[in-house]
Amino acid sequence: MCIFCKIIKGEIPSNRVLESDKFLAFHDINPVAPVHILIIPKEHIGSFHETPKELMGEMTPFIQEVAEKLGLDGSGYRLITNIGDDGGQEISHLHFHLVGGGRLSFPPLHEDYKKSI
Ligand code: AMP
């Protein structure tokens, strides 16, 4: 069973922000911003690329509710989903990183492109 499935089952502790019958939001253990939340479906889906559109349709308002609960809807925030090896995905269970709480830098560059900036 993957680590996020264990978090859903409560076998691994997490700092939960919001939960519904289909989705869970909890604090990332290694935050990269003042607010860094992971939002996952309770159904095990490998990545965004395998996600049915019906699930995204349900996940979208859940993500918006998380941002509102954290007071980020006015100031703004960023959603990131890493996909596969080149995308930097470490855990193969669909998750959106919701980061915010301050101005974020952009863009996340490929190594070869960092030199030219
Ligand atoms: P990714 O590289 O997109 O797969 O992101 C995986 C994220 O999961 C990283 O930001 C990790 O810090 C986070 N993470 C790993 N284990 C845990 C955990 N037990 N609780 C909360 N976040 C975790």
Side-chain angles (χ1 to χ4, degrees), residues 3-4 26-30 38 82 88-91 95 97:
I3 185 169
F4 286 171
F26 56 98
H27 288 268
D28 195 293
I29 204 167
N30 188 19
L38 297 175
N82 298 322
Q89 183 178 9
E90 289 178 0
I91 298 180
H95 53 284
H97 300 254

Side-chain angles (χ1 to χ4, degrees), residues 14-38:
S14 64
N15 186 359
R16 296 178 182 221
V17 174
L18 190 67
E19 184 169 6
S20 73
D21 57 336
K22 291 196 173 167
F23 305 106
L24 176 64
F26 56 98
H27 288 268
D28 195 293
I29 204 167
N30 188 19
V32 298
V35 178
H36 186 171
I37 308 298
L38 297 175

